[in-house]
Each structure stands twice: as structure tokens, then as C-alpha cells.
């Protein structure tokens, strides 16, 4: 049973990341893996229940003005991660305001490490991702489509450490609205996916991380059973962290960047086996900048650090169940 390429679009909202170490509250990362909506589109597959399995690895090094401070010591610090994700996509065939509805539930597991002099390792369950609603509109026969949705990260992952930031889980909620705009015609998937993370306060440290904006870009072409094309992503912090009265960090927000911007480019290849689709993409982050003007004003130094590196992701998607087709009436001809 052929699985629509649009399934990979819906599967793209899977979220987990270890590629932005120290970009927000120390020890925490962007909840959504940068680039996770690569190969996404605003399309929706036929009614049914689908499953997807994704694995990816991140190999990177810390960069930013903090590597030249006494804290960083101008050393090369590696940041690695390996992540496994299982998810389910539900397409009941419902429509609302002319849009097709779908919903997802996603559970990631990860292991990550930061090299010397930090020498930090963790392994555990990331926060469960719930996507109660996505709505997709097709714009007549033009090939254009628009999808909107809302993702919620629940604070049920593995939480350790005095600040609750020592493992894959997060002791706070994250709400993530999204919009995807696509051109889907003649085998083309030209898509831009925009989504923004809004975090609640860490219930242990009382620290609130700033909002993180993501933008993922896909320009692929299906040729027979193959799909190929360039991809790219951007993500960055667009609002300041806050560490008010009761916050456990004596230095407040001075040790973490208040702004960072990271760009990546890469390529994608996919193959449709019929019962399942396999996609692999790889990206290299070509630009990474971080800053904290308040730290410079207060101490004369900027301790901002972000990770810059390479991601390789593989995704396998397939349909578990489809509604039974209505039996066709027999055609009996009487002369």
C-alpha cells in the first residue's frame, strides 16, 4: 500500500534536539530538532493510521565568543547526540472549514555528550510531543497548500540534576505553533515550514528560556521512486531569557546567550519501496553566531556558546491501518 509523500511532511514535526547546547538555559536545548520539518509539506496522506521511525546523529563543536574567555579557554569542545523517535499519525478523514484534519503523538529517546572540559553525558526519554490538531488547505488545483498546527511538549521526560536540566527531559512546557506553505505538483515539493517555541518557566530553577524561531526549507523532486533535492534550515533565539526573584542562578542570564542565529544547508535523497518510504537527509551548519550584550556591559566578557555541526537523519514511514473500502455493488445485466 503506497504511503503518500505527504506523510513525511506530517512526520516532520517530530521534535528533539541536542545541537544547540547552552543556547538557552545551561544544559537545555531547543525542543524541536533544527531542520526536523525538512521534507515537510502542507499535504496530508489518505485516511488511516501511520507510523514513522526516525533516527539521527548530531556531531558538532561549541563556538561563539565564550570559547575565547577564561571559561572556554579557547578549547575545542565537542557536542554529540544520537536520537531515536517513534511516532503515530492519525488521519480520520475529517474536514473543518474546508481543511483536512490530522493529529500526531511522538516519543523521542536520546543520548548526548559534551566533551572536555565539561565531560557531560546523558541518556533518557525526551518530552512527549502531542499535536492535537493540524489543518491543511489545498488551494484549488494550483498545487499550492497551506497547513497550520499546534504542538505541545509535555514535561514527562527524564529529568535529573539540581536545575532539572541534566538529562533529555525538561521541567517545563513548550507550546509550538506552526505554519507550512507548499507547492506540490508534478512531483515537486517546494516547502517552507515556520514554527516558534514558547517555553514556560522551569519549575525547578525558575529560569525561563527565550523564544526560539525555526524555518525549514525543502526543494525536492520525485523521479520515479526516487526523491532528491537541496534542503536548508535556520533557527535562532528571538527573545531574552528571564531569571527573576527565586531563580537559582546567581549570575542570572549573564552566562547564556540572549540571541543566536544558525544557518544550515544540505541535501536529501528518498526512495519509495511501496509499503514504506525511506528518506535520508544531511545538513552542515555553515553559520553560527551568539551574543549576550548584557554580559559584556556587566563583566566586559561575552560567555555565549552555541554548537555548530553536522546532522544526518533517516526516516522510515508506513501505513498501519486504513479504513475498509466500501464494497462495490455487483453489476448484473439482464437482456
Amino acid at each position: 500500500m503506497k504511503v503518500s509523500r505527504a506523510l513525511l511532511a506530517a512526520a516532520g514535526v517530530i521534535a528533539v534536539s541536542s545541537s544547540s547546547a547552552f543556547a538557552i538555559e545551561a544544559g537545555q536545548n531547543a525542543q524541536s530538532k533544527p531542520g526536523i520539518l525538512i521534507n515537510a509539506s502542507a499535504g496530508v496522506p489518505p485516511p488511516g493510521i501511520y507510523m514513522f521511525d526516525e533516527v539521527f546523529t548530531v556531531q558538532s563543536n561549541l563556538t561563539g565568543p565564550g570559547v575565547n574567555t577564561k571559561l572556554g579557554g579557547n578549547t575545542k569542545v565537542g557536542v554529540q547526540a544520537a536520537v531515536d523517535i517513534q511516532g503515530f499519525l492519525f488521519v480520520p478523514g475529517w474536514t473543518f472549514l474546508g481543511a483536512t484534519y490530522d493529529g500526531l503523538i511522538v516519543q523521542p529517546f536520546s543520548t548526548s555528550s559534551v566533551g572536555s572540559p565539561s565531560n557531560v553525558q546523558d541518556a533518557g526519554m525526551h518530552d512527549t510531543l502531542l499535536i492535537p490538531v493540524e489543518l491543511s488547505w489545498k488551494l484549488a488545483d494550483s498545487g499550492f497548500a497551506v497547513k497550520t498546527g499546534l504542538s505541545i511538549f509535555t514535561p514527562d521526560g527524564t529529568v535529573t540534576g539540581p536545575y532539572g536540566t541534566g538529562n533529555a527531559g525538561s521541567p517545563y512546557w513548550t507550546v509550538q505553533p506552526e505554519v507550512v506553505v507548499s507547492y506540490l505538483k508534478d512531483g515537486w515539493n517546494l516547502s517552507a515550514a515556520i514554527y516558534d517555541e514558547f517555553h514556560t518557566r522551569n519549575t525547578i530553577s525558575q529560569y525561563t528560556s527565550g523564544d526560539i524561531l525555526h524555518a525549514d526549507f525543502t526543494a525536492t523532486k520525485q523521479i520515479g521512486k526516487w526523491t532528491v533535492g537541496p534542503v536548508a534550515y535556520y533557527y535562532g533565539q528571538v527573545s531574552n531569557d528571564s531569571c527573576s526573584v527565586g531563580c537559582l542562578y546567581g549570575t542570572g542570564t549573564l552566562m547564556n546567550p540572549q540571541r543566536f542565529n544558525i544557518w544550515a544547508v544540505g541535501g536529501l535523497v528518498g526512495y519509495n519501496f511501496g509499503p514504506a518510504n525511506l528518506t535520508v537527509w544531511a545538513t552542515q551548519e555553515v553559520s553560527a553566531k551568539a551574543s549576550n550584550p548584557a554580559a559584556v556591559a556587566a563583566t566586559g566578557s561575552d560567555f555565549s556558546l552555541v554548537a555548530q555541526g553536522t546532522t544526518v537523519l533517516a526516516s522510515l514511514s508506513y501505513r498501519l491501518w486504513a479504513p475498509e473500502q466500501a464494497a462495490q455493488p455487483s453489476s448484473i445485466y439482464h437482456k
Side-chain angles (χ1 to χ4, degrees):
M1 190 175 298
K2 182 177 179 180
V3 179
S4 168
R5 289 177 61 241
L7 170 59
L8 294 179
V13 293
I14 305 161
V16 65
S17 171
S18 293
S19 64
S20 56
F22 308 144
I24 51 177
E25 180 179 2
Q28 290 298 91
N29 307 294
Q31 287 279 49
S32 284
K33 168 70 184 79
I36 202 66
L37 282 181
I38 283 176
N39 200 40
S41 81
V44 179
I49 299 176
Y50 299 81
M51 186 173 181
F52 47 86
D53 303 295
E54 294 200 348
V55 293
F56 68 83
T57 180
V58 178
Q59 303 294 321
S60 59
N61 292 293
L62 292 182
T63 187
V67 299
N68 296 315
T69 64
K70 291 182 180 180
L71 175 69
N74 200 22
T75 58
K76 187 176 182 180
V77 181
V79 180
Q80 299 84 32
V83 180
D84 175 61
I85 300 165
Q86 291 82 43
F88 295 89
L89 169 67
F90 304 93
V91 186
W94 302 341
T95 59
F96 178 73
L97 298 177
T100 301
Y101 166 87
D102 68 72
L104 297 92
I105 181 169
V106 183
Q107 184 57 68
F109 299 87
S110 72
T111 178
S112 63
S113 64
V114 181
S116 178
S118 299
N119 292 320
V120 175
Q121 295 182 339
D122 66 67
M125 186 179 82
H126 192 74
D127 299 343
T128 302
L129 173 63
L130 302 176
I131 306 174
V133 58
E134 285 189 322
L135 296 174
S136 176
W137 288 266
K138 291 183 178 180
L139 306 182
D141 295 325
S142 65
F144 288 97
V146 177
K147 175 184 283 186
T148 61
L150 182 68
S151 303
I152 302 171
F153 292 91
T154 64
D156 61 354
T158 306
V159 171
T160 60
Y163 307 112
T165 59
N167 214 302
S170 305
Y172 53 81
W173 295 79
T174 298
V175 177
Q176 181 176 284
E178 66 183 50
V179 61
V180 184
V181 179
S182 299
Y183 176 78
L184 305 170
K185 200 170 186 179
D186 300 326
W188 287 100
N189 176 10
L190 307 178
S191 296
I194 312 296
Y195 46 112
D196 200 354
E197 299 182 24
F198 299 95
H199 312 286
T200 63
R201 185 173 57 185
N202 183 323
T203 57
I204 299 174
S205 70
Q206 307 304 308
Y207 191 102
T208 304
S209 298
D211 304 335
I212 298 179
L213 176 67
H214 297 257
D216 299 341
F217 305 97
T218 303
T220 59
K221 171 69 172 177
Q222 186 175 3
I223 305 172
K225 293 186 176 183
W226 291 92
T227 298
V228 295
V231 297
Y233 69 74
Y234 160 84
Y235 75 113
Q237 186 168 340
V238 294
S239 70
N240 291 337
D241 300 350
S242 65
C243 188
S244 55
V245 176
C247 181
L248 298 184
Y249 294 94
T251 55
T253 64
L254 297 182
M255 302 303 292
N256 302 319
Q258 298 307 290
R259 291 293 187 275
F260 67 88
N261 295 281
I262 298 177
W263 289 90
V265 296
L268 177 149
V269 60
Y271 189 81
N272 183 357
F273 289 94
N277 278 347
L278 175 65
T279 301
V280 178
W281 59 259
T283 55
Q284 173 64 50
E285 291 172 340
V286 295
S287 175
K289 298 179 180 180
S291 63
N292 188 337
V296 176
T299 69
S301 297
D302 192 339
F303 306 100
S304 300
L305 295 168
V306 292
Q308 180 179 6
T310 302
T311 297
V312 179
L313 182 148
S315 175
L316 183 69
S317 58
Y318 41 92
R319 185 156 64 176
L320 294 176
W321 174 86
E324 294 182 359
Q325 294 184 351
Q328 297 297 320
S330 300
S331 177
I332 302 176
Y333 177 72
H334 295 279
K335 188 174 181 178

